[in-house]
Every structure is written in C-alpha cells, then in structure tokens.
Amino acid sequence: MTGLIAPGPSATLGRAAGDTDARLRARALRLGYGPRVVVPHLDLDIVDESVTAIVGPNGCGKSTLLRALGRLLRPAGGEVLLDGHRIQQLPTREVARRLGILPQAPSAPDGLTVADLVGRGRQPHQGWLRQWSRADEAVVAQALAWTGLAEFADHPVDTLSGGQRQRAWISMALAQGTDILLLDEPTTYLDLAHQIDVLDLVDRLHRDRGRTVVMVLHDLNLAARYARHLIAMKDGQVMASGPPGQVLTPELVEEVFGLRVMVIEDPASGTPLVVPLAGGAARRSTMEQKSTAVSRAATR
C-alpha cells in the first residue's frame, strides 16, 4: 500500500514496536510547552544506521519531537528510550557519549576558534581522572580534516560562511564520537549550494562512518534525495513513515500540506520529486478558510 497512512495518532518507523534492536524509540510520547500540547500521542522507532528526515508543515511538532529525542525537552507523558533505558534517567555525560544534537541556528561565543569549538565535542569523554590528551587532539584533527575545515582551524567561527559554520558544528558532533546524530533544520538560512554541501556531508557521515542521522527538513525534495526513511507529521501526529517512494504520494502531500502536487522521478537521483500544480496554493487557501469558518461556527 502506498503512502502508509497511519490508522491512528501514532505510527512506528521501520521496525516493529517490540524489536529490541532499535536504539532510539518514543513510546506514548506527549509533548508541549506549559498548557499547550504540541504532540498528543506518538510512538516510533528510529531505524539504526540510516538517515531519517522528519517533514511536515510549520508548527506540526517536528522540532519539538527532535528536542524530546535529544533530551532537550522533558515529555509531559510517555517516554524516550535510548538503548532500552529511559533517556531522562540516564546520566547527562552518558547520553552525550551516545547521542549528539545540533539545534536550529547554533551560536558560538565571540572569538571562539573552529578548533576550540570542535574540541568541545570531547567534553563528554573528560573527567577528573582523564583530562585533555594527545588522543583528543588527534580526534579533533581527524574531524576537521574529514569535514574539510583543517585550514580554518584557527579562524573564529563567526568569520566563516554559513555552510562552513554548519560543517564546523557537525565536526564538533563528529569529534563527540556518538553513533546517533540529531540535526534540527541544518540547512536553514543557507543558499542552495551550501544546503547541498551540508547534506552531502551528512550523507558521508552515514555511508562512511555508519552514523544514524535524524534531521528535520522543510524541503521535501532534498529530504527525499538524502534520507532513506521519512516521517511525515501533521498536528503532532505521524501521518506516514517509510521509504521516500512510499511516503511522498500526491495524496499524502495534499493531506499533510494542503497542496496539490504531482510526484515524478528525479532524473538526477531517481528519488521522488514533488512538483506543485497550478492552483495548488489557492486550493490550500480555500481549505484553510473553510477550516477557519468551521472552527468559528463551532465556538459560537
């Protein structure tokens, strides 16, 4: 069946709920900010050693979900499991050794050099009995070389281009040595060339280093090209999950985004290519107006 539309408010990504091989899971997850509920109930398993992209309209809960998976947001209900343990109960240093997260538009202190930023990735491995060592220096040097930033090691982070800064932050995560990497909109504010540059790096992290990557993306076509699995969200619920070719159907895109499209094969990558149809935005506007009218009538 195409689209894999979930029958209810939750869905499982890739592996069955009882599969003990999935390292990162959410169970009956309820998320929000104060009294505002963003994610009412959600179950999913993240596919190990793959690249997963979370897509959906603004305000659907994508970044909120990623923050919860990375222990930056405490659930109002349910739990996130990392290697079978409730992530909230694990020591912070232990979580940082297994999982790295880069929030939207991260910022570094003024004057901090690229090498110093990447070196901060080694902090989870430091302690009273283990201070900075030559081994740490070697890891940082390898991370800088692997991301093509060795020549910028002594440059302040705030003097780099947007794409270079994103690569510096990914270098820090690489130096951190985690198997799981969560990226919240890593291409935000970047032009197309730098978006491709960053996503090519993410792809190499997966292919050459075996990293499990989960990222929030707005661009459906880039998500389809670089991710092996998609999670499509709407109103805090998982509407579909699976390979891009099964998830990105015209029906699913219209249901989730309110936009009429055709889906063809990308001639360059062979992945799904979403093409908006003429009048699609107007149709969406009409749908939103009807929805607003119904909501107002219901509150009278």
Side-chain angles (χ1 to χ4, degrees):
M1 179 185 303
T2 61
L4 301 180
I5 303 300
S10 63
T12 300
L13 175 63
R15 302 188 181 188
D19 190 341
T20 57
D21 291 336
R23 296 188 57 199
L24 187 61
R25 299 163 148 187
R27 291 291 177 265
L29 201 59
R30 181 180 175 88
L31 305 172
Y33 303 95
R36 183 169 68 93
V37 176
V38 178
V39 175
H41 184 280
L42 184 145
D43 295 312
L44 62 82
D45 289 356
I46 296 300
V47 176
D48 290 338
E49 299 182 2
S50 188
V51 179
T52 297
I54 306 174
V55 299
N58 291 338
C60 72
K62 303 184 300 295
S63 294
T64 298
L65 171 60
L66 199 76
R67 286 171 53 82
L69 293 176
R71 211 179 79 159
L72 297 182
L73 177 66
R74 180 180 291 273
E79 59 187 6
V80 173
L81 301 175
L82 177 60
D83 292 329
H85 301 281
R86 298 187 68 178
I87 197 170
Q88 295 292 340
Q89 296 178 349
L90 290 172
T92 299
R93 190 179 295 273
E94 184 63 28
V95 173
R97 288 173 179 168
R98 306 186 197 183
L99 181 151
I101 181 168
L102 297 183
Q104 293 183 38
S107 59
D110 291 341
L112 187 73
T113 67
V114 172
D116 288 338
L117 174 67
V118 178
R120 293 189 175 195
R122 302 302 299 163
Q123 289 181 353
H125 303 277
Q126 308 298 315
W128 290 106
L129 300 179
R130 188 189 184 286
Q131 300 299 314
W132 187 263
S133 67
R134 291 184 178 178
D136 293 314
E137 291 181 3
V139 170
V140 170
Q142 290 173 2
L144 288 169
W146 200 79
T147 55
L149 290 175
E151 63 182 294
F152 298 98
D154 296 326
H155 291 219
V157 176
D158 53 14
T159 65
L160 302 182
S161 69
Q164 290 169 337
R165 281 197 299 271
Q166 287 296 71
R167 280 195 281 143
W169 285 100
I170 293 175
S171 296
M172 184 189 74
L174 185 60
Q176 191 175 333
T178 63
D179 296 326
I180 304 171
L181 183 60
L182 310 181
L183 306 175
D184 193 359
E185 300 187 27
T187 59
T188 298
Y189 307 128
L190 300 182
D191 60 34
L192 182 58
H194 285 116
Q195 290 179 37
I196 298 300
D197 180 45
V198 168
L199 291 176
D200 279 345
L201 175 57
V202 170
D203 187 57
R204 289 175 55 214
L205 277 173
H206 159 64
R207 288 187 293 104
D208 300 344
R209 296 298 179 100
R211 296 297 195 269
T212 297
V213 181
V214 184
M215 54 184 175
V216 170
L217 288 178
H218 278 293
D219 191 306
L220 293 180
N221 294 325
L222 289 180
R225 174 175 289 197
Y226 286 94
R228 304 299 183 269
H229 290 79
L230 297 185
I231 303 173
M233 293 186 64
K234 178 183 178 183
D235 298 331
Q237 301 179 7
V238 174
M239 304 300 294
S241 62
Q246 294 181 342
V247 171
L248 288 181
T249 65
E251 297 79 13
L252 185 282
V253 174
E254 183 167 4
E255 179 177 2
V256 171
F257 293 92
L259 184 67
R260 292 192 308 116
V261 302
M262 62 184 298
V263 179
I264 61 176
E265 181 178 295
D266 188 320
S269 64
T271 56
L273 183 66
V274 178
V275 181
L277 296 177
R283 178 182 174 86
R284 180 181 181 185
S285 177
T286 301
M287 293 171 61
E288 290 175 344
Q289 291 173 8
K290 289 181 179 179
S291 177
T292 301
V294 170
S295 298
R296 289 176 177 172
T299 57
R300 290 177 181 172

